[in-house]
């Protein structure tokens, strides 16, 4: 392993990485769940001889220059960098910026084979950087000035999750709310598919139980939101129904691929909304459906 420039912490070979360079653990031995597990993080802090509170909020791994840059721009503190030497020329300025944010940042530059050996990834699409998580903003703060929010119920496909965030960023969604069983948007693949927009769109968890709707929809209504469940039902309104777009504060509730929204969620929402289909197609993928709905129901102050 070769440093990009003299660095206080650079592992010299991948066989020593796990023993002599515990800062590489987020890229190698630790799963996404472990990067959010206080017990695992306590063990990592001890291995680093660092205060336990330094890792208390957890870590995540970002991949590619664009995604890492957006995480940095969003104020996430870098923890460590691992990069294939192929990416070094194009990422040198980014690594300098990461080191400016954390002067003691450990950086390892390795061969393609070593990246595979350390990470288990067959391919990578740029450098990898581990970042400290930030605390989630209070739900009330996200809703205070929002006009359009998306609520994601139990989305467990990382590609769909990342694509929804990318559409949310591009099409004027003010915040994304995740139910307790929804997967982590900062997971490497979700963040990469989103092109880093998971760091641009504010998000937080809504409710504290898997059967979230009673508590969560009450919180939305208390903040002045009308709720619209995206679902195929006989009584559903077409997306272009003139009653929908003028609503000043609208929460669009989307369900997981396949099963869709829970019946209890649909029943509890103020409206059920469908995207009209043609040629015998019954529905769109949830990520595609989110983009159509976000655009059609975008907030227009002129209303």
């Amino acid at each position: 392993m070769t440093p990009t420039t003299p660095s206080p912490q650079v592992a010299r070979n991948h066989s020593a990485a796990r023993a002599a360079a515990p800062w590489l653990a987020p890229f190698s031995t630790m799963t996404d769940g472990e990067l959010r597990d206080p017990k695992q993080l306590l063990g990592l802090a001890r291995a680093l001889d660092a205060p336990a509170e330094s890792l208390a909020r957890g870590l995540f791994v970002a991949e590619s220059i664009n995604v890492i840059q957006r995480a940095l721009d969003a104020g996430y503190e870098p923890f460590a960098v691992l990069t294939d030497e192929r990416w070094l020329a194009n990422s040198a300025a980014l690594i300098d910026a990461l080191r400016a944010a954390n002067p003691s940042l450990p950086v390892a530059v390795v061969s393609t084979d070593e990246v595979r050996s350390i990470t288990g990834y067959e391919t990578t699409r740029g450098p990898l950087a581990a970042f400290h998580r930030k605390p989630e903003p209070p739900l009330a703060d996200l809703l205070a000035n929002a006009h359009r929010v998306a609520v994601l119920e139990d989305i467990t496909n990382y590609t769909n999750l990342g694509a929804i965030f990318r559409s949310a960023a591009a099409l004027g969604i003010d915040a994304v709310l995740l139910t307790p069983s929804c997967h982590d948007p900062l997971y490497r693949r979700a963040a990469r598919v989103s092109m880093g927009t998971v760091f641009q769109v504010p998000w937080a968890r809504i409710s504290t139980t898997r059967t979230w709707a009673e508590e969560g929809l009450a919180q939305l209504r208390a903040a002045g939101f009308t709720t619209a469940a995206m679902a195929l039902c006989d009584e559903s309104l077409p997306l272009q129904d003139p009653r929908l777009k003028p609503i000043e504060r609208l929460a669009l509730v989307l369900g997981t691929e396949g099963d869709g929204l829970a019946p209890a969620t649909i029943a509890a929402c103020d409206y059920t909304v469908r995207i009209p289909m043609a040629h015998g197609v019954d529905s769109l993928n949830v990520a595609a459906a989110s983009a159509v709905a976000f655009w059609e129901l975008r907030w227009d102050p002129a209303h």
Side-chain angles (χ1 to χ4, degrees):
M1 296 187 179
T2 307
T4 56
T5 59
S7 170
Q9 296 186 66
V10 176
R12 295 296 172 181
N13 58 71
H14 75 264
S15 64
R18 297 177 188 184
W23 49 270
L24 282 173
F27 309 112
S28 58
T29 59
M30 297 183 73
T31 66
D32 178 64
E34 290 172 339
L35 291 174
R36 293 177 280 125
D37 184 337
K39 292 183 179 179
Q40 298 294 330
L41 292 165
L42 179 59
L44 178 59
R46 287 173 176 166
L48 292 166
D49 195 23
E53 58 269 22
S54 66
L55 297 176
R57 292 195 296 268
L59 300 169
F60 67 89
V61 175
E63 177 184 357
S64 84
I65 291 173
N66 288 340
V67 174
I68 293 170
Q69 184 66 61
R70 283 184 168 160
L72 185 63
D73 291 344
Y76 288 90
E77 180 189 352
F79 170 82
V81 173
L82 170 68
T83 183
D84 188 320
E85 57 197 4
R86 293 179 299 160
W87 312 118
L88 183 55
N90 289 337
S91 61
L94 174 61
I95 292 173
D96 287 344
L98 292 166
R99 279 186 166 149
N102 177 5
S104 62
L105 182 75
V107 175
V109 181
V110 303
S111 69
T112 300
D113 287 342
E114 286 178 302
V115 170
R116 289 174 181 155
S117 178
I118 293 169
T119 65
Y121 306 150
E122 185 61 28
T123 60
T124 54
R125 293 165 176 81
L128 300 169
F131 286 87
H132 294 272
R133 288 176 177 264
K134 297 194 291 188
E136 290 181 16
L139 182 62
D141 290 356
L142 291 191
L143 299 179
N145 298 307
H147 293 284
R148 293 290 183 268
V149 300
V151 182
L152 309 186
E153 180 181 270
D154 302 353
I155 303 290
T156 56
N157 180 292
Y158 286 116
T159 298
N160 286 336
L161 188 59
I164 292 169
F165 265 88
R166 188 172 181 181
S167 294
L171 301 174
I173 296 298
D174 298 306
V176 174
L177 310 180
L178 311 173
T179 64
S181 296
C182 192
H183 276 8
D184 178 23
L186 299 190
Y187 180 70
R188 179 181 61 94
R189 185 172 182 181
R192 189 185 71 220
V193 170
S194 82
M195 293 297 291
T197 55
V198 293
F199 309 120
Q200 296 177 302
V201 181
W203 62 271
R205 298 282 172 177
I206 184 168
S207 185
T208 55
T209 63
R210 194 182 190 290
T211 53
W212 71 277
E214 181 177 359
E215 178 188 359
L217 294 177
Q219 290 174 303
L220 287 166
R221 290 196 181 98
F225 279 84
T226 299
T227 57
M230 300 295 300
L232 299 173
C233 298
D234 292 339
E235 66 276 17
S236 60
L237 301 177
L239 189 64
Q240 65 271 35
D241 188 287
R243 286 170 283 183
L244 297 172
K245 192 173 177 63
I247 296 172
E248 183 173 355
R249 312 192 84 192
L250 182 64
L252 296 169
V253 187
L254 299 111
T256 189
E257 190 74 19
D259 293 337
L261 291 171
T265 301
I266 297 171
C269 284
D270 300 308
Y271 292 101
T272 305
V273 179
R274 72 181 185 278
I275 300 173
M277 298 283 112
H279 300 294
V281 177
D282 62 350
S283 65
L284 295 174
N285 164 277
V286 65
S290 73
V292 174
F294 295 165
W295 171 252
E296 180 66 28
L297 298 177
R298 65 197 183 280
W299 170 241
D300 182 354
H303 281 93

